[in-house]
Amino acid sequence: MKNNPDLEKNSQVQSCGFSYDHRILSQGRVILPHWHNYYELEIVLGGRIDHTINKKSMVMSRGSVYFLSPVDFHSVKCIEEADIINIAFDESMVGKSLTEMLSHQTNHVPVLGDDDFAYLCERAERLNRERNEGAFQTEVASAIITEILYIILRNLSSNGDFEQYPTLLQSAVNIINQKYQDNINISCLADTLHITPQYLGKIFKEEMNISITDYINNLRLKHACSMLVHTNASVKEIAFESGYNSTEYFLYIFKKNIRATPTKYRKVNTI
C-alpha cells in the first residue's frame, strides 16, 4: 500500500487477475483512507494494526483475516510492526456469488485457529508460487483463492458471525448497484421496496455497517475517479455522469472523502 488517499492500482491484478504480496508495516505507519477497484484479502501474521473499514475501527493481530470489496474505503495505523500477507484479485477469479457473500461480512474479522491459520498461510504461499507458473495458472489460482475464501466463511459461520442477508437488503443493494448513477436516494428506494425510509435506513446501517447515503456516495465517487483517470470529460460532466445533480455538492463530497480536488486527483493519477 502507498501512503495516500487515492485509488490503489495493481498492475498484476489487471494483467492476470490476482496478486500476492508479503509486506512488513513499520510501527507508527499510517495509511490514509483509500479504496481499490479489486477485492483484497489480508492475513495478519504478526504485530498489531488498527484497521478502519467504512469508518469502523478494529484492532487486528496474529491470526486476524479481513476482506475488502471495491465498495469499501479503509485506512490502517500500525500499532506495532506488522507482518501481513496481501492477496488481491478481481471478480473473475471467484465469481459474483462468493464475493457478494463476503462483501456483507466486513463487520466481522475472524481470528483463525492454529490449524486453519497454518493452512491458509500454506495456501497463500502456494498462490505466490503460482505467479511463476505457465499452463492453467489462472485456473489453479482461482481454485486456491476460492478455497481460502470458503475457509474464512466457515470460520465466520462456526463463530456465529456469518450473516445471511435478508432478501429485502439484497434487493436494496442490487438496486443501488444498478442505479447509483441515477437520481436515487433512500426515499425512492424505500418506495420501490414498499417499506418506510426509516426502517430501510436502520436495517441497512445495522447489517452493512454503512449508511445508504455513504454507500451510494462510495459507488459514485469510484465511478467519478475512474472517469477522471480514463476520460477527458470535464468535472461538471463527470459529476452528472456519476449521479450528482450539483457540481458544487460533488466537489464537496469528493474533497471530503478523497482528500483532494477532482483536478488534483486527475493530475496525480493520470499517466
Side-chain angles (χ1 to χ4, degrees), residues 31-76:
I31 300 172
L32 296 176
H34 63 282
W35 60 278
H36 311 267
N37 59 359
Y38 48 84
Y39 295 89
E40 187 177 51
L41 171 71
E42 292 201 327
I43 306 169
V44 181
L45 304 181
R48 285 196 306 152
I49 60 172
D50 185 352
H51 189 205
T52 300
I53 307 175
N54 298 326
K55 301 179 182 178
K56 180 178 180 180
S57 295
M58 294 168 276
V59 174
M60 303 178 189
S61 56
R62 178 179 171 83
S64 296
V65 180
Y66 62 87
F67 173 84
L68 295 166
S69 77
V71 81
D72 297 313
F73 279 84
H74 75 123
S75 60
V76 177

mmCIF file of all heavy atoms in Angstrom, residues 31-76:
data_model
loop_
_atom_site.group_PDB
_atom_site.id
_atom_site.type_symbol
_atom_site.label_atom_id
_atom_site.label_comp_id
_atom_site.label_asym_id
_atom_site.label_seq_id
_atom_site.Cartn_x
_atom_site.Cartn_y
_atom_site.Cartn_z
ATOM 1 N N ILE A 31 -1.579 4.578 6.894
ATOM 2 C CA ILE A 31 -2.023 4.517 5.507
ATOM 3 C C ILE A 31 -3.379 5.197 5.458
ATOM 4 O O ILE A 31 -4.348 4.719 6.050
ATOM 5 C CB ILE A 31 -2.105 3.064 5.013
ATOM 6 C CG1 ILE A 31 -0.730 2.401 5.117
ATOM 7 C CG2 ILE A 31 -2.618 3.010 3.582
ATOM 8 C CD1 ILE A 31 -0.728 0.928 4.830
ATOM 9 N N LEU A 32 -3.449 6.311 4.780
ATOM 10 C CA LEU A 32 -4.641 7.153 4.787
ATOM 11 C C LEU A 32 -5.800 6.488 4.044
ATOM 12 O O LEU A 32 -5.607 5.534 3.299
ATOM 13 C CB LEU A 32 -4.306 8.503 4.149
ATOM 14 C CG LEU A 32 -3.262 9.345 4.888
ATOM 15 C CD1 LEU A 32 -2.943 10.605 4.090
ATOM 16 C CD2 LEU A 32 -3.739 9.707 6.289
ATOM 17 N N PRO A 33 -7.034 6.984 4.248
ATOM 18 C CA PRO A 33 -8.204 6.375 3.592
ATOM 19 C C PRO A 33 -8.039 6.274 2.081
ATOM 20 O O PRO A 33 -7.642 7.235 1.428
ATOM 21 C CB PRO A 33 -9.341 7.338 3.970
ATOM 22 C CG PRO A 33 -8.907 7.942 5.260
ATOM 23 C CD PRO A 33 -7.420 8.095 5.147
ATOM 24 N N HIS A 34 -8.331 5.117 1.549
ATOM 25 C CA HIS A 34 -8.226 4.878 0.120
ATOM 26 C C HIS A 34 -9.152 3.728 -0.244
ATOM 27 O O HIS A 34 -9.818 3.151 0.612
ATOM 28 C CB HIS A 34 -6.777 4.555 -0.281
ATOM 29 C CG HIS A 34 -6.259 3.303 0.335
ATOM 30 N ND1 HIS A 34 -5.832 3.232 1.644
ATOM 31 C CD2 HIS A 34 -6.119 2.044 -0.166
ATOM 32 C CE1 HIS A 34 -5.445 2.006 1.927
ATOM 33 N NE2 HIS A 34 -5.615 1.259 0.846
ATOM 34 N N TRP A 35 -9.205 3.381 -1.510
ATOM 35 C CA TRP A 35 -10.060 2.296 -1.973
ATOM 36 C C TRP A 35 -9.382 1.584 -3.132
ATOM 37 O O TRP A 35 -8.377 2.039 -3.670
ATOM 38 C CB TRP A 35 -11.435 2.822 -2.387
ATOM 39 C CG TRP A 35 -11.415 3.831 -3.489
ATOM 40 C CD1 TRP A 35 -11.166 5.159 -3.375
ATOM 41 C CD2 TRP A 35 -11.654 3.589 -4.879
ATOM 42 N NE1 TRP A 35 -11.233 5.766 -4.599
ATOM 43 C CE2 TRP A 35 -11.539 4.839 -5.544
ATOM 44 C CE3 TRP A 35 -11.974 2.464 -5.627
ATOM 45 C CZ2 TRP A 35 -11.724 4.977 -6.909
ATOM 46 C CZ3 TRP A 35 -12.158 2.594 -6.998
ATOM 47 C CH2 TRP A 35 -12.028 3.848 -7.620
ATOM 48 N N HIS A 36 -9.947 0.438 -3.487
ATOM 49 C CA HIS A 36 -9.393 -0.390 -4.557
ATOM 50 C C HIS A 36 -10.461 -0.668 -5.597
ATOM 51 O O HIS A 36 -11.650 -0.703 -5.266
ATOM 52 C CB HIS A 36 -8.917 -1.739 -4.007
ATOM 53 C CG HIS A 36 -8.058 -1.643 -2.789
ATOM 54 N ND1 HIS A 36 -6.698 -1.590 -2.855
ATOM 55 C CD2 HIS A 36 -8.374 -1.579 -1.468
ATOM 56 C CE1 HIS A 36 -6.205 -1.496 -1.620
ATOM 57 N NE2 HIS A 36 -7.202 -1.492 -0.769
ATOM 58 N N ASN A 37 -10.076 -0.903 -6.812
ATOM 59 C CA ASN A 37 -11.050 -1.347 -7.817
ATOM 60 C C ASN A 37 -10.961 -2.857 -8.012
ATOM 61 O O ASN A 37 -11.289 -3.393 -9.058
ATOM 62 C CB ASN A 37 -10.852 -0.610 -9.151
ATOM 63 C CG ASN A 37 -9.467 -0.829 -9.732
ATOM 64 O OD1 ASN A 37 -8.637 -1.510 -9.135
ATOM 65 N ND2 ASN A 37 -9.212 -0.247 -10.890
ATOM 66 N N TYR A 38 -10.518 -3.549 -6.957
ATOM 67 C CA TYR A 38 -10.433 -5.005 -6.951
ATOM 68 C C TYR A 38 -10.735 -5.475 -5.531
ATOM 69 O O TYR A 38 -10.916 -4.670 -4.615
ATOM 70 C CB TYR A 38 -9.029 -5.466 -7.373
ATOM 71 C CG TYR A 38 -7.901 -4.744 -6.665
ATOM 72 C CD1 TYR A 38 -7.460 -5.153 -5.408
ATOM 73 C CD2 TYR A 38 -7.282 -3.644 -7.251
ATOM 74 C CE1 TYR A 38 -6.433 -4.480 -4.756
ATOM 75 C CE2 TYR A 38 -6.263 -2.968 -6.604
ATOM 76 C CZ TYR A 38 -5.843 -3.396 -5.358
ATOM 77 O OH TYR A 38 -4.838 -2.723 -4.712
ATOM 78 N N TYR A 39 -10.792 -6.780 -5.323
ATOM 79 C CA TYR A 39 -11.016 -7.348 -3.999
ATOM 80 C C TYR A 39 -9.668 -7.578 -3.326
ATOM 81 O O TYR A 39 -8.661 -7.835 -3.985
ATOM 82 C CB TYR A 39 -11.798 -8.664 -4.094
ATOM 83 C CG TYR A 39 -13.203 -8.472 -4.624
ATOM 84 C CD1 TYR A 39 -13.454 -8.524 -5.994
ATOM 85 C CD2 TYR A 39 -14.262 -8.217 -3.764
ATOM 86 C CE1 TYR A 39 -14.742 -8.327 -6.489
ATOM 87 C CE2 TYR A 39 -15.540 -8.017 -4.252
ATOM 88 C CZ TYR A 39 -15.774 -8.075 -5.616
ATOM 89 O OH TYR A 39 -17.033 -7.870 -6.104
ATOM 90 N N GLU A 40 -9.684 -7.533 -2.003
ATOM 91 C CA GLU A 40 -8.432 -7.675 -1.262
ATOM 92 C C GLU A 40 -8.661 -8.509 -0.007
ATOM 93 O O GLU A 40 -9.668 -8.357 0.685
ATOM 94 C CB GLU A 40 -7.897 -6.293 -0.879
ATOM 95 C CG GLU A 40 -6.510 -6.327 -0.247
ATOM 96 C CD GLU A 40 -5.994 -4.928 0.045
ATOM 97 O OE1 GLU A 40 -6.731 -4.154 0.683
ATOM 98 O OE2 GLU A 40 -4.868 -4.616 -0.363
ATOM 99 N N LEU A 41 -7.710 -9.387 0.258
ATOM 100 C CA LEU A 41 -7.741 -10.241 1.436
ATOM 101 C C LEU A 41 -6.388 -10.129 2.130
ATOM 102 O O LEU A 41 -5.350 -10.227 1.474
ATOM 103 C CB LEU A 41 -8.003 -11.697 1.012
ATOM 104 C CG LEU A 41 -7.871 -12.778 2.071
ATOM 105 C CD1 LEU A 41 -9.024 -12.683 3.060
ATOM 106 C CD2 LEU A 41 -7.851 -14.155 1.410
ATOM 107 N N GLU A 42 -6.394 -9.909 3.442
ATOM 108 C CA GLU A 42 -5.121 -9.823 4.165
ATOM 109 C C GLU A 42 -5.139 -10.733 5.383
ATOM 110 O O GLU A 42 -6.142 -10.819 6.109
ATOM 111 C CB GLU A 42 -4.811 -8.383 4.570
ATOM 112 C CG GLU A 42 -4.525 -7.502 3.358
ATOM 113 C CD GLU A 42 -3.750 -6.249 3.692
ATOM 114 O OE1 GLU A 42 -3.932 -5.692 4.794
ATOM 115 O OE2 GLU A 42 -2.949 -5.821 2.832
ATOM 116 N N ILE A 43 -4.017 -11.406 5.600
ATOM 117 C CA ILE A 43 -3.811 -12.290 6.738
ATOM 118 C C ILE A 43 -2.714 -11.678 7.600
ATOM 119 O O ILE A 43 -1.600 -11.433 7.112
ATOM 120 C CB ILE A 43 -3.386 -13.698 6.285
ATOM 121 C CG1 ILE A 43 -4.395 -14.267 5.268
ATOM 122 C CG2 ILE A 43 -3.240 -14.635 7.477
ATOM 123 C CD1 ILE A 43 -3.910 -15.531 4.576
ATOM 124 N N VAL A 44 -3.015 -11.409 8.863
ATOM 125 C CA VAL A 44 -2.032 -10.809 9.759
ATOM 126 C C VAL A 44 -1.205 -11.930 10.392
ATOM 127 O O VAL A 44 -1.729 -12.762 11.140
ATOM 128 C CB VAL A 44 -2.712 -9.956 10.854
ATOM 129 C CG1 VAL A 44 -1.652 -9.315 11.750
ATOM 130 C CG2 VAL A 44 -3.603 -8.882 10.219
ATOM 131 N N LEU A 45 0.090 -11.946 10.083
ATOM 132 C CA LEU A 45 0.988 -12.982 10.602
ATOM 133 C C LEU A 45 1.574 -12.605 11.955
ATOM 134 O O LEU A 45 1.958 -13.475 12.738
ATOM 135 C CB LEU A 45 2.127 -13.224 9.615
ATOM 136 C CG LEU A 45 1.733 -13.606 8.183
ATOM 137 C CD1 LEU A 45 2.981 -13.837 7.351
ATOM 138 C CD2 LEU A 45 0.841 -14.831 8.179
ATOM 139 N N GLY A 46 1.674 -11.316 12.231
ATOM 140 C CA GLY A 46 2.247 -10.859 13.492
ATOM 141 C C GLY A 46 2.098 -9.356 13.643
ATOM 142 O O GLY A 46 1.803 -8.644 12.675
ATOM 143 N N GLY A 47 2.311 -8.851 14.875
ATOM 144 C CA GLY A 47 2.167 -7.429 15.142
ATOM 145 C C GLY A 47 0.710 -7.047 15.359
ATOM 146 O O GLY A 47 -0.179 -7.904 15.473
ATOM 147 N N ARG A 48 0.453 -5.733 15.381
ATOM 148 C CA ARG A 48 -0.919 -5.246 15.589
ATOM 149 C C ARG A 48 -1.169 -4.023 14.733
ATOM 150 O O ARG A 48 -0.306 -3.150 14.604
ATOM 151 C CB ARG A 48 -1.161 -4.873 17.051
ATOM 152 C CG ARG A 48 -1.342 -6.055 18.004
ATOM 153 C CD ARG A 48 -1.945 -5.599 19.322
ATOM 154 N NE ARG A 48 -1.177 -4.528 19.924
ATOM 155 C CZ ARG A 48 -1.701 -3.601 20.735
ATOM 156 N NH1 ARG A 48 -3.004 -3.588 20.976
ATOM 157 N NH2 ARG A 48 -0.924 -2.672 21.267
ATOM 158 N N ILE A 49 -2.362 -3.973 14.133
ATOM 159 C CA ILE A 49 -2.766 -2.808 13.356
ATOM 160 C C ILE A 49 -4.154 -2.364 13.797
ATOM 161 O O ILE A 49 -4.966 -3.166 14.256
ATOM 162 C CB ILE A 49 -2.785 -3.102 11.835
ATOM 163 C CG1 ILE A 49 -3.771 -4.225 11.504
ATOM 164 C CG2 ILE A 49 -1.393 -3.430 11.328
ATOM 165 C CD1 ILE A 49 -3.986 -4.439 10.020
ATOM 166 N N ASP A 50 -4.403 -1.070 13.667
ATOM 167 C CA ASP A 50 -5.737 -0.508 13.865
ATOM 168 C C ASP A 50 -6.297 -0.262 12.474
ATOM 169 O O ASP A 50 -5.850 0.626 11.760
ATOM 170 C CB ASP A 50 -5.653 0.792 14.664
ATOM 171 C CG ASP A 50 -7.027 1.353 15.011
ATOM 172 O OD1 ASP A 50 -8.030 0.820 14.518
ATOM 173 O OD2 ASP A 50 -7.099 2.333 15.772
ATOM 174 N N HIS A 51 -7.257 -1.092 12.071
ATOM 175 C CA HIS A 51 -7.783 -1.057 10.711
ATOM 176 C C HIS A 51 -9.181 -0.457 10.718
ATOM 177 O O HIS A 51 -10.052 -0.915 11.459
ATOM 178 C CB HIS A 51 -7.829 -2.476 10.149
ATOM 179 C CG HIS A 51 -8.158 -2.533 8.695
ATOM 180 N ND1 HIS A 51 -8.721 -3.634 8.105
ATOM 181 C CD2 HIS A 51 -8.021 -1.621 7.698
ATOM 182 C CE1 HIS A 51 -8.905 -3.415 6.824
ATOM 183 N NE2 HIS A 51 -8.490 -2.193 6.550
ATOM 184 N N THR A 52 -9.404 0.574 9.911
ATOM 185 C CA THR A 52 -10.708 1.219 9.821
ATOM 186 C C THR A 52 -11.327 0.930 8.459
ATOM 187 O O THR A 52 -10.734 1.243 7.427
ATOM 188 C CB THR A 52 -10.589 2.743 10.015
ATOM 189 O OG1 THR A 52 -10.022 3.008 11.310
ATOM 190 C CG2 THR A 52 -11.959 3.408 9.937
ATOM 191 N N ILE A 53 -12.502 0.297 8.473
ATOM 192 C CA ILE A 53 -13.240 -0.022 7.250
ATOM 193 C C ILE A 53 -14.570 0.711 7.303
ATOM 194 O O ILE A 53 -15.359 0.495 8.225
ATOM 195 C CB ILE A 53 -13.493 -1.535 7.108
ATOM 196 C CG1 ILE A 53 -12.190 -2.330 7.233
ATOM 197 C CG2 ILE A 53 -14.180 -1.840 5.780
ATOM 198 C CD1 ILE A 53 -12.394 -3.837 7.228
ATOM 199 N N ASN A 54 -14.797 1.599 6.340
ATOM 200 C CA ASN A 54 -16.046 2.367 6.306
ATOM 201 C C ASN A 54 -16.355 2.996 7.666
ATOM 202 O O ASN A 54 -17.459 2.900 8.187
ATOM 203 C CB ASN A 54 -17.208 1.478 5.857
ATOM 204 C CG ASN A 54 -17.009 0.938 4.456
ATOM 205 O OD1 ASN A 54 -16.436 1.621 3.604
ATOM 206 N ND2 ASN A 54 -17.450 -0.281 4.217
ATOM 207 N N LYS A 55 -15.331 3.613 8.245
ATOM 208 C CA LYS A 55 -15.422 4.392 9.483
ATOM 209 C C LYS A 55 -15.523 3.543 10.753
ATOM 210 O O LYS A 55 -15.650 4.087 11.842
ATOM 211 C CB LYS A 55 -16.597 5.368 9.429
ATOM 212 C CG LYS A 55 -16.529 6.370 8.274
ATOM 213 C CD LYS A 55 -17.721 7.294 8.261
ATOM 214 C CE LYS A 55 -17.652 8.254 7.080
ATOM 215 N NZ LYS A 55 -18.829 9.148 7.015
ATOM 216 N N LYS A 56 -15.451 2.212 10.651
ATOM 217 C CA LYS A 56 -15.453 1.353 11.831
ATOM 218 C C LYS A 56 -14.052 0.810 12.057
ATOM 219 O O LYS A 56 -13.467 0.189 11.162
ATOM 220 C CB LYS A 56 -16.433 0.198 11.672
ATOM 221 C CG LYS A 56 -16.456 -0.723 12.895
ATOM 222 C CD LYS A 56 -17.469 -1.848 12.742
ATOM 223 C CE LYS A 56 -17.449 -2.747 13.977
ATOM 224 N NZ LYS A 56 -18.427 -3.858 13.863
ATOM 225 N N SER A 57 -13.499 1.041 13.253
ATOM 226 C CA SER A 57 -12.125 0.646 13.562
ATOM 227 C C SER A 57 -12.091 -0.689 14.309
ATOM 228 O O SER A 57 -12.930 -0.957 15.181
ATOM 229 C CB SER A 57 -11.428 1.712 14.404
ATOM 230 O OG SER A 57 -11.282 2.913 13.681
ATOM 231 N N MET A 58 -11.103 -1.514 13.981
ATOM 232 C CA MET A 58 -10.895 -2.804 14.633
ATOM 233 C C MET A 58 -9.396 -3.035 14.789
ATOM 234 O O MET A 58 -8.639 -2.804 13.850
ATOM 235 C CB MET A 58 -11.505 -3.930 13.801
ATOM 236 C CG MET A 58 -13.014 -3.896 13.689
ATOM 237 S SD MET A 58 -13.668 -5.026 12.413
ATOM 238 C CE MET A 58 -13.492 -3.984 10.956
ATOM 239 N N VAL A 59 -8.987 -3.493 15.964
ATOM 240 C CA VAL A 59 -7.580 -3.837 16.187
ATOM 241 C C VAL A 59 -7.381 -5.291 15.781
ATOM 242 O O VAL A 59 -8.137 -6.180 16.192
ATOM 243 C CB VAL A 59 -7.186 -3.624 17.659
ATOM 244 C CG1 VAL A 59 -5.758 -4.124 17.899
ATOM 245 C CG2 VAL A 59 -7.294 -2.145 18.031
ATOM 246 N N MET A 60 -6.360 -5.533 14.966
ATOM 247 C CA MET A 60 -6.111 -6.871 14.444
ATOM 248 C C MET A 60 -4.692 -7.306 14.771
ATOM 249 O O MET A 60 -3.766 -6.491 14.762
ATOM 250 C CB MET A 60 -6.331 -6.892 12.926
ATOM 251 C CG MET A 60 -7.726 -6.423 12.528
ATOM 252 S SD MET A 60 -7.946 -6.387 10.739
ATOM 253 C CE MET A 60 -9.545 -5.560 10.645
ATOM 254 N N SER A 61 -4.549 -8.601 15.034
ATOM 255 C CA SER A 61 -3.239 -9.158 15.381
ATOM 256 C C SER A 61 -3.097 -10.530 14.744
ATOM 257 O O SER A 61 -3.903 -10.910 13.885
ATOM 258 C CB SER A 61 -3.096 -9.241 16.910
ATOM 259 O OG SER A 61 -4.162 -9.994 17.468
ATOM 260 N N ARG A 62 -2.093 -11.290 15.160
ATOM 261 C CA ARG A 62 -1.790 -12.581 14.544
ATOM 262 C C ARG A 62 -3.054 -13.452 14.444
ATOM 263 O O ARG A 62 -3.772 -13.638 15.428
ATOM 264 C CB ARG A 62 -0.722 -13.315 15.346
ATOM 265 C CG ARG A 62 -0.377 -14.707 14.803
ATOM 266 C CD ARG A 62 0.710 -15.364 15.646
ATOM 267 N NE ARG A 62 0.901 -16.754 15.266
ATOM 268 C CZ ARG A 62 1.655 -17.162 14.245
ATOM 269 N NH1 ARG A 62 2.284 -16.273 13.512
ATOM 270 N NH2 ARG A 62 1.788 -18.452 13.966
ATOM 271 N N GLY A 63 -3.307 -13.965 13.244
ATOM 272 C CA GLY A 63 -4.463 -14.823 13.026
ATOM 273 C C GLY A 63 -5.676 -14.105 12.497
ATOM 274 O O GLY A 63 -6.622 -14.743 12.032
ATOM 275 N N SER A 64 -5.677 -12.755 12.534
ATOM 276 C CA SER A 64 -6.810 -11.997 12.009
ATOM 277 C C SER A 64 -6.787 -12.010 10.488
ATOM 278 O O SER A 64 -5.728 -11.947 9.869
ATOM 279 C CB SER A 64 -6.763 -10.539 12.504
ATOM 280 O OG SER A 64 -6.899 -10.463 13.898
ATOM 281 N N VAL A 65 -7.963 -12.090 9.902
ATOM 282 C CA VAL A 65 -8.100 -12.075 8.446
ATOM 283 C C VAL A 65 -9.198 -11.080 8.095
ATOM 284 O O VAL A 65 -10.251 -11.063 8.736
ATOM 285 C CB VAL A 65 -8.486 -13.461 7.896
ATOM 286 C CG1 VAL A 65 -8.611 -13.422 6.384
ATOM 287 C CG2 VAL A 65 -7.464 -14.498 8.303
ATOM 288 N N TYR A 66 -8.958 -10.239 7.097
ATOM 289 C CA TYR A 66 -10.034 -9.347 6.677
ATOM 290 C C TYR A 66 -10.130 -9.281 5.155
ATOM 291 O O TYR A 66 -9.163 -9.514 4.436
ATOM 292 C CB TYR A 66 -9.897 -7.950 7.279
ATOM 293 C CG TYR A 66 -8.664 -7.171 6.912
ATOM 294 C CD1 TYR A 66 -8.616 -6.385 5.770
ATOM 295 C CD2 TYR A 66 -7.548 -7.184 7.745
ATOM 296 C CE1 TYR A 66 -7.493 -5.644 5.452
ATOM 297 C CE2 TYR A 66 -6.412 -6.448 7.439
ATOM 298 C CZ TYR A 66 -6.400 -5.673 6.288
ATOM 299 O OH TYR A 66 -5.278 -4.947 5.980
ATOM 300 N N PHE A 67 -11.351 -8.967 4.718
ATOM 301 C CA PHE A 67 -11.695 -8.958 3.303
ATOM 302 C C PHE A 67 -12.250 -7.586 2.948
ATOM 303 O O PHE A 67 -13.026 -7.008 3.701
ATOM 304 C CB PHE A 67 -12.742 -10.038 3.035
ATOM 305 C CG PHE A 67 -13.311 -10.025 1.641
ATOM 306 C CD1 PHE A 67 -12.666 -10.661 0.602
ATOM 307 C CD2 PHE A 67 -14.514 -9.374 1.377
ATOM 308 C CE1 PHE A 67 -13.205 -10.662 -0.687
ATOM 309 C CE2 PHE A 67 -15.056 -9.365 0.103
ATOM 310 C CZ PHE A 67 -14.396 -10.012 -0.932
ATOM 311 N N LEU A 68 -11.850 -7.075 1.784
ATOM 312 C CA LEU A 68 -12.321 -5.770 1.323
ATOM 313 C C LEU A 68 -12.874 -5.900 -0.085
ATOM 314 O O LEU A 68 -12.273 -6.550 -0.940
ATOM 315 C CB LEU A 68 -11.175 -4.753 1.311
ATOM 316 C CG LEU A 68 -10.566 -4.401 2.668
ATOM 317 C CD1 LEU A 68 -9.253 -3.662 2.465
ATOM 318 C CD2 LEU A 68 -11.529 -3.568 3.482
ATOM 319 N N SER A 69 -14.005 -5.259 -0.319
ATOM 320 C CA SER A 69 -14.593 -5.231 -1.659
ATOM 321 C C SER A 69 -14.323 -3.873 -2.286
ATOM 322 O O SER A 69 -13.903 -2.935 -1.601
ATOM 323 C CB SER A 69 -16.099 -5.487 -1.570
ATOM 324 O OG SER A 69 -16.766 -4.315 -1.115
ATOM 325 N N PRO A 70 -14.577 -3.722 -3.580
ATOM 326 C CA PRO A 70 -14.344 -2.431 -4.225
ATOM 327 C C PRO A 70 -15.226 -1.302 -3.705
ATOM 328 O O PRO A 70 -15.002 -0.154 -4.046
ATOM 329 C CB PRO A 70 -14.659 -2.724 -5.707
ATOM 330 C CG PRO A 70 -14.406 -4.179 -5.860
ATOM 331 C CD PRO A 70 -14.872 -4.778 -4.568
ATOM 332 N N VAL A 71 -16.222 -1.603 -2.890
ATOM 333 C CA VAL A 71 -17.079 -0.544 -2.370
ATOM 334 C C VAL A 71 -16.597 -0.031 -1.019
ATOM 335 O O VAL A 71 -17.171 0.887 -0.451
ATOM 336 C CB VAL A 71 -18.545 -1.025 -2.261
ATOM 337 C CG1 VAL A 71 -18.774 -1.854 -0.998
ATOM 338 C CG2 VAL A 71 -19.524 0.136 -2.306
ATOM 339 N N ASP A 72 -15.519 -0.600 -0.479
ATOM 340 C CA ASP A 72 -15.043 -0.240 0.854
ATOM 341 C C ASP A 72 -13.913 0.787 0.815
ATOM 342 O O ASP A 72 -12.951 0.632 0.064
ATOM 343 C CB ASP A 72 -14.540 -1.484 1.604
ATOM 344 C CG ASP A 72 -15.629 -2.502 1.834
ATOM 345 O OD1 ASP A 72 -16.720 -2.095 2.273
ATOM 346 O OD2 ASP A 72 -15.399 -3.699 1.565
ATOM 347 N N PHE A 73 -14.025 1.814 1.665
ATOM 348 C CA PHE A 73 -12.921 2.710 1.949
ATOM 349 C C PHE A 73 -12.253 2.206 3.228
ATOM 350 O O PHE A 73 -12.948 1.819 4.175
ATOM 351 C CB PHE A 73 -13.419 4.138 2.164
ATOM 352 C CG PHE A 73 -13.682 4.889 0.892
ATOM 353 C CD1 PHE A 73 -14.880 4.770 0.224
ATOM 354 C CD2 PHE A 73 -12.710 5.722 0.353
ATOM 355 C CE1 PHE A 73 -15.136 5.461 -0.955
ATOM 356 C CE2 PHE A 73 -12.945 6.417 -0.824
ATOM 357 C CZ PHE A 73 -14.161 6.291 -1.478
ATOM 358 N N HIS A 74 -10.933 2.238 3.272
ATOM 359 C CA HIS A 74 -10.293 1.798 4.517
ATOM 360 C C HIS A 74 -8.968 2.524 4.734
ATOM 361 O O HIS A 74 -8.392 3.115 3.817
ATOM 362 C CB HIS A 74 -10.096 0.278 4.519
ATOM 363 C CG HIS A 74 -8.983 -0.223 3.653
ATOM 364 N ND1 HIS A 74 -7.946 -0.988 4.132
ATOM 365 C CD2 HIS A 74 -8.745 -0.081 2.327
ATOM 366 C CE1 HIS A 74 -7.122 -1.305 3.146
ATOM 367 N NE2 HIS A 74 -7.578 -0.768 2.041
ATOM 368 N N SER A 75 -8.511 2.476 5.980
ATOM 369 C CA SER A 75 -7.231 3.067 6.357
ATOM 370 C C SER A 75 -6.594 2.173 7.414
ATOM 371 O O SER A 75 -7.274 1.357 8.050
ATOM 372 C CB SER A 75 -7.415 4.487 6.907
ATOM 373 O OG SER A 75 -8.242 4.481 8.052
ATOM 374 N N VAL A 76 -5.283 2.340 7.610
ATOM 375 C CA VAL A 76 -4.544 1.488 8.538
ATOM 376 C C VAL A 76 -3.579 2.329 9.364
ATOM 377 O O VAL A 76 -2.908 3.219 8.837
ATOM 378 C CB VAL A 76 -3.736 0.400 7.786
ATOM 379 C CG1 VAL A 76 -2.903 -0.427 8.755
ATOM 380 C CG2 VAL A 76 -4.660 -0.498 6.971
#
